[in-house]
Short mmCIF file of all heavy atoms in Angstrom, two decimals:
data_model
loop_
_atom_site.label_atom_id
_atom_site.label_comp_id
_atom_site.label_asym_id
_atom_site.label_seq_id
_atom_site.Cartn_x
_atom_site.Cartn_y
_atom_site.Cartn_z
N ALA A 246 87.16 109.66 103.90
CA ALA A 246 87.89 110.92 104.08
C ALA A 246 89.41 110.73 104.00
O ALA A 246 90.12 111.62 103.51
CB ALA A 246 87.51 111.58 105.40
N VAL A 247 89.92 109.60 104.45
CA VAL A 247 91.37 109.35 104.38
C VAL A 247 91.74 108.55 103.13
O VAL A 247 92.86 108.07 103.01
CB VAL A 247 91.90 108.65 105.66
CG1 VAL A 247 91.71 109.54 106.88
CG2 VAL A 247 91.28 107.29 105.86
N LYS A 248 90.79 108.44 102.21
CA LYS A 248 91.00 107.80 100.91
C LYS A 248 91.28 106.30 100.99
O LYS A 248 92.03 105.74 100.17
CB LYS A 248 92.09 108.52 100.13
CG LYS A 248 91.74 109.97 99.82
CD LYS A 248 92.80 110.63 98.98
CE LYS A 248 92.48 112.02 98.51
NZ LYS A 248 91.70 112.90 99.23
N ASN A 249 90.70 105.62 101.98
CA ASN A 249 90.76 104.16 102.02
C ASN A 249 89.96 103.61 100.84
O ASN A 249 88.97 104.21 100.42
CB ASN A 249 90.13 103.62 103.30
CG ASN A 249 91.07 103.63 104.48
OD1 ASN A 249 92.17 104.15 104.40
ND2 ASN A 249 90.62 103.06 105.58
N ASP A 250 90.37 102.46 100.36
CA ASP A 250 89.60 101.76 99.35
C ASP A 250 88.44 101.07 100.07
O ASP A 250 88.63 100.10 100.79
CB ASP A 250 90.47 100.72 98.64
CG ASP A 250 89.74 99.98 97.53
OD1 ASP A 250 88.51 100.15 97.39
OD2 ASP A 250 90.40 99.22 96.80
N VAL A 251 87.24 101.63 99.93
CA VAL A 251 86.08 101.12 100.67
C VAL A 251 85.20 100.21 99.82
O VAL A 251 84.08 99.89 100.21
CB VAL A 251 85.25 102.28 101.28
CG1 VAL A 251 86.05 103.00 102.36
CG2 VAL A 251 84.79 103.25 100.20
N ARG A 252 85.72 99.78 98.70
CA ARG A 252 84.96 98.85 97.86
C ARG A 252 84.96 97.46 98.50
O ARG A 252 85.92 97.07 99.16
CB ARG A 252 85.55 98.77 96.46
CG ARG A 252 85.49 100.08 95.69
CD ARG A 252 86.21 99.98 94.38
NE ARG A 252 87.64 99.71 94.61
CZ ARG A 252 88.49 99.34 93.66
NH1 ARG A 252 88.06 99.18 92.42
NH2 ARG A 252 89.76 99.13 93.94
N THR A 253 83.87 96.74 98.28
CA THR A 253 83.75 95.35 98.71
C THR A 253 83.57 94.51 97.46
O THR A 253 82.79 94.88 96.59
CB THR A 253 82.56 95.18 99.66
OG1 THR A 253 82.76 96.00 100.81
CG2 THR A 253 82.39 93.73 100.10
N PHE A 254 84.30 93.41 97.36
CA PHE A 254 84.22 92.54 96.20
C PHE A 254 83.79 91.15 96.60
O PHE A 254 84.37 90.55 97.49
CB PHE A 254 85.60 92.40 95.52
CG PHE A 254 86.16 93.69 95.00
CD1 PHE A 254 87.18 94.34 95.68
CD2 PHE A 254 85.69 94.24 93.82
CE1 PHE A 254 87.72 95.51 95.20
CE2 PHE A 254 86.22 95.42 93.34
CZ PHE A 254 87.24 96.06 94.02
N ARG A 255 82.79 90.61 95.93
CA ARG A 255 82.46 89.19 96.02
C ARG A 255 83.30 88.49 94.95
O ARG A 255 83.74 89.11 94.00
CB ARG A 255 81.00 88.94 95.74
CG ARG A 255 80.10 89.46 96.82
CD ARG A 255 78.75 88.76 96.80
NE ARG A 255 77.82 89.48 97.63
CZ ARG A 255 77.83 89.47 98.95
NH1 ARG A 255 78.73 88.79 99.60
NH2 ARG A 255 76.94 90.14 99.63
N ASN A 256 83.53 87.20 95.10
CA ASN A 256 84.33 86.43 94.14
C ASN A 256 85.72 87.04 93.94
O ASN A 256 86.25 87.06 92.85
CB ASN A 256 83.59 86.33 92.79
CG ASN A 256 82.23 85.70 92.96
OD1 ASN A 256 82.08 84.69 93.64
ND2 ASN A 256 81.22 86.32 92.38
N TYR A 257 86.27 87.53 95.03
CA TYR A 257 87.60 88.13 95.01
C TYR A 257 88.67 87.05 95.08
O TYR A 257 88.48 86.04 95.76
CB TYR A 257 87.75 89.08 96.21
CG TYR A 257 89.04 89.86 96.25
CD1 TYR A 257 89.26 90.91 95.36
CD2 TYR A 257 90.02 89.56 97.17
CE1 TYR A 257 90.44 91.63 95.41
CE2 TYR A 257 91.20 90.28 97.23
CZ TYR A 257 91.41 91.32 96.34
OH TYR A 257 92.57 92.04 96.38
N GLU A 258 89.75 87.24 94.37
CA GLU A 258 90.88 86.31 94.41
C GLU A 258 92.15 87.11 94.61
O GLU A 258 92.38 88.10 93.93
CB GLU A 258 90.99 85.51 93.11
CG GLU A 258 89.82 84.59 92.88
CD GLU A 258 89.96 83.76 91.62
OE1 GLU A 258 91.09 83.67 91.07
OE2 GLU A 258 88.95 83.20 91.18
N MET A 259 92.98 86.66 95.55
CA MET A 259 94.26 87.30 95.81
C MET A 259 95.34 86.22 95.84
O MET A 259 95.19 85.22 96.54
CB MET A 259 94.23 88.05 97.12
CG MET A 259 95.45 88.87 97.39
SD MET A 259 95.16 89.93 98.82
CE MET A 259 96.34 91.21 98.49
N THR A 260 96.38 86.42 95.06
CA THR A 260 97.47 85.46 94.95
C THR A 260 98.72 86.03 95.60
O THR A 260 99.12 87.16 95.30
CB THR A 260 97.75 85.13 93.47
OG1 THR A 260 96.57 84.56 92.90
CG2 THR A 260 98.90 84.14 93.34
N TYR A 261 99.30 85.24 96.50
CA TYR A 261 100.55 85.59 97.15
C TYR A 261 101.66 84.77 96.51
O TYR A 261 101.50 83.57 96.29
CB TYR A 261 100.50 85.28 98.65
CG TYR A 261 99.50 86.10 99.40
CD1 TYR A 261 98.21 85.64 99.61
CD2 TYR A 261 99.85 87.34 99.92
CE1 TYR A 261 97.29 86.40 100.32
CE2 TYR A 261 98.94 88.11 100.62
CZ TYR A 261 97.67 87.63 100.81
OH TYR A 261 96.75 88.39 101.50
N HIS A 262 102.81 85.41 96.24
CA HIS A 262 103.95 84.75 95.63
C HIS A 262 105.04 84.56 96.68
O HIS A 262 105.35 85.48 97.43
CB HIS A 262 104.47 85.58 94.46
CG HIS A 262 103.41 85.83 93.42
ND1 HIS A 262 103.22 85.00 92.34
CD2 HIS A 262 102.44 86.79 93.33
CE1 HIS A 262 102.21 85.45 91.62
NE2 HIS A 262 101.72 86.53 92.20
N ARG A 263 105.62 83.37 96.71
CA ARG A 263 106.66 83.05 97.69
C ARG A 263 107.81 84.05 97.57
O ARG A 263 108.25 84.37 96.48
CB ARG A 263 107.19 81.64 97.45
CG ARG A 263 108.27 81.21 98.44
CD ARG A 263 108.86 79.84 98.08
NE ARG A 263 107.86 78.80 98.06
CZ ARG A 263 107.36 78.19 99.14
NH1 ARG A 263 107.77 78.52 100.34
NH2 ARG A 263 106.46 77.25 99.02
N PRO A 264 108.31 84.57 98.72
CA PRO A 264 109.46 85.47 98.66
C PRO A 264 110.66 84.75 98.04
O PRO A 264 110.83 83.54 98.23
CB PRO A 264 109.75 85.81 100.13
CG PRO A 264 108.56 85.36 100.89
CD PRO A 264 107.86 84.33 100.07
N THR A 265 111.48 85.49 97.31
CA THR A 265 112.61 84.87 96.63
C THR A 265 113.74 84.53 97.59
O THR A 265 114.44 83.54 97.39
CB THR A 265 113.14 85.78 95.51
OG1 THR A 265 113.45 87.06 96.08
CG2 THR A 265 112.12 85.93 94.41
N THR A 266 113.94 85.33 98.63
CA THR A 266 114.99 85.04 99.62
C THR A 266 114.47 85.33 101.01
O THR A 266 113.63 86.20 101.21
CB THR A 266 116.25 85.90 99.38
OG1 THR A 266 115.88 87.27 99.45
CG2 THR A 266 116.89 85.59 98.05
N GLU A 267 115.00 84.56 101.96
CA GLU A 267 114.59 84.76 103.35
C GLU A 267 115.63 84.07 104.24
O GLU A 267 116.14 83.01 103.90
CB GLU A 267 113.21 84.15 103.57
CG GLU A 267 112.57 84.59 104.84
CD GLU A 267 111.05 84.56 104.73
OE1 GLU A 267 110.50 83.77 103.96
OE2 GLU A 267 110.43 85.35 105.43
N THR A 268 115.94 84.68 105.35
CA THR A 268 116.91 84.10 106.27
C THR A 268 116.21 83.09 107.18
O THR A 268 114.98 83.08 107.27
CB THR A 268 117.58 85.19 107.13
OG1 THR A 268 116.57 85.84 107.89
CG2 THR A 268 118.31 86.19 106.27
N PRO A 269 116.95 82.24 107.89
CA PRO A 269 116.33 81.23 108.76
C PRO A 269 115.40 81.82 109.82
O PRO A 269 114.44 81.18 110.22
CB PRO A 269 117.53 80.53 109.40
CG PRO A 269 118.64 80.73 108.44
CD PRO A 269 118.40 82.08 107.82
N ASP A 270 115.65 83.05 110.30
CA ASP A 270 114.76 83.62 111.31
C ASP A 270 113.53 84.27 110.70
O ASP A 270 112.69 84.82 111.39
CB ASP A 270 115.50 84.61 112.21
CG ASP A 270 115.90 85.90 111.48
OD1 ASP A 270 115.67 86.00 110.25
OD2 ASP A 270 116.42 86.80 112.16
N GLY A 271 113.41 84.22 109.37
CA GLY A 271 112.22 84.74 108.71
C GLY A 271 112.36 86.16 108.20
O GLY A 271 111.49 86.64 107.51
N THR A 272 113.43 86.86 108.53
CA THR A 272 113.58 88.23 108.05
C THR A 272 114.11 88.22 106.63
O THR A 272 114.94 87.39 106.27
CB THR A 272 114.52 89.06 108.95
OG1 THR A 272 115.79 88.41 108.97
CG2 THR A 272 113.97 89.20 110.34
N PRO A 273 113.63 89.13 105.79
CA PRO A 273 114.13 89.17 104.42
C PRO A 273 115.62 89.53 104.41
O PRO A 273 116.08 90.30 105.23
CB PRO A 273 113.31 90.28 103.77
CG PRO A 273 112.16 90.51 104.66
CD PRO A 273 112.59 90.12 106.04
#
């Protein structure tokens, strides 16, 4: 009803890319 993506995937792959900049305390 709230339009969530309710699909389930087997063999799913998700790639995260390192942030380009970040301060020493971790905030962008």
Side-chain angles (χ1 to χ4, degrees):
V247 297
K248 298 183 175 30
N249 277 7
D250 182 352
V251 294
R252 296 174 297 167
T253 299
F254 298 104
R255 290 202 193 286
N256 303 314
Y257 185 73
E258 295 182 15
M259 187 170 204
T260 300
Y261 295 93
H262 302 268
R263 181 185 301 280
T265 55
T266 58
E267 194 152 28
T268 60
D270 69 356
T272 59

